Amino acid sequence: MKLNDLITKFHEIEDLIIQGEGEITPEIEAMLDVNSDALNDKLDSYENLKRYLKGQIEYLKSQECHYKKRRNTLANTIKWLSENQTYALKQTENKKLKTSEYNYSIRKTEKAIIDEKNISSEWDSKLIFLDLADTVILYDKTEIKKHFKDEAKLPNWLKFEEKWSVTAR
């Protein structure tokens, strides 16, 4: 039986109790027992599935970690091999080299290294104006909640939403 069907059955039993002016007959008692047992079984089944799925999530997280380490190891190996190839070509003063399988050449590139902590607000504004930077604001929901929780009037951009959850031990 579906969970919603069990809840509907409880409402039907409640209606029978109300129609009987609060009297719980042996028939109603039996219906309550059957429905309660079914509800307990259904909730236990849900909890077992939740725990199984949580186990699956933990397993997948461990696999993600394993494959991330493996990927990083391979990427580092490729970087090391490339650096050694570059070093060999530079040391032999070969800007280009042709082998039976590949044609090699080396080139010099340049990258910008930005020390973001030392950029002044004036420079921030200039870079944003020149479309060389974006303004990103991250809201700390936990701190906002703490700050406004006891306020009588909330800003129009904030509301608090309650949510019920179940805990099984």
Side-chain angles (χ1 to χ4, degrees):
M1 188 177 285
K2 294 180 182 175
L3 184 59
N4 284 338
D5 295 339
L6 290 170
I7 294 168
T8 301
K9 192 70 176 164
F10 271 115
H11 288 296
E12 290 171 2
I13 294 169
E14 178 185 5
D15 289 342
L16 290 174
I17 293 170
I18 291 170
Q19 289 170 5
E21 296 179 1
E23 181 184 354
I24 298 179
T25 64
E27 294 82 19
I28 291 175
E29 185 81 39
M31 290 169 65
L32 277 170
D33 289 342
V34 168
N35 211 48
S36 293
D37 290 343
L39 179 63
N40 292 348
D41 291 344
K42 182 59 74 175
L43 291 177
D44 286 347
S45 295
Y46 275 32
E47 188 60 31
N48 288 334
L49 179 59
K50 280 174 37 184
R51 290 175 186 221
Y52 167 77
L53 294 174
K54 285 178 183 176
Q56 288 297 99
I57 289 169
E58 289 306 312
Y59 169 75
L60 292 171
K61 281 181 185 177
S62 73
Q63 289 302 102
E64 285 174 9
C65 183
H66 168 74
Y67 284 116
K68 182 179 180 184
K69 286 178 185 175
R70 187 172 177 178
R71 185 187 74 227
N72 288 339
T73 298
L74 295 174
N76 288 336
T77 301
I78 291 169
K79 181 181 176 188
W80 180 84
L81 291 168
S82 294
E83 288 170 353
N84 281 320
Q85 288 173 314
T86 303
Y87 177 77
L89 289 171
K90 280 176 57 181
Q91 290 301 309
T92 58
E93 297 183 6
N94 282 316
K95 293 227 182 225
K96 293 184 179 188
L97 178 69
K98 185 174 183 171
T99 68
S100 59
E101 282 192 63
Y102 301 101
N103 294 323
Y104 298 94
S105 63
I106 58 173
R107 67 186 180 285
K108 187 187 288 189
T109 59
E110 185 176 67
K111 70 176 181 179
I113 299 172
I114 300 170
D115 185 1
E116 295 180 21
K117 293 179 289 202
N118 288 324
I119 297 177
S120 67
S121 59
E122 180 183 329
W123 266 109
D124 277 342
S125 297
K126 286 180 186 178
L127 293 170
I128 291 168
F129 177 77
L130 295 170
D131 270 342
L132 301 175
D134 285 327
T135 303
V136 178
I137 298 174
L138 299 174
Y139 298 104
D140 187 336
K141 291 182 181 179
T142 302
E143 290 302 316
I144 290 172
K145 178 183 169 191
K146 285 179 189 175
H147 181 81
F148 287 101
K149 186 64 178 166
D150 296 322
E151 295 291 321
K153 185 169 166 64
L154 296 176
N156 63 354
W157 49 265
L158 178 63
K159 69 178 180 178
F160 292 111
E161 185 176 277
E162 291 183 344
K163 179 181 173 188
W164 288 91
S165 63
V166 64
T167 302
R169 296 170 199 234

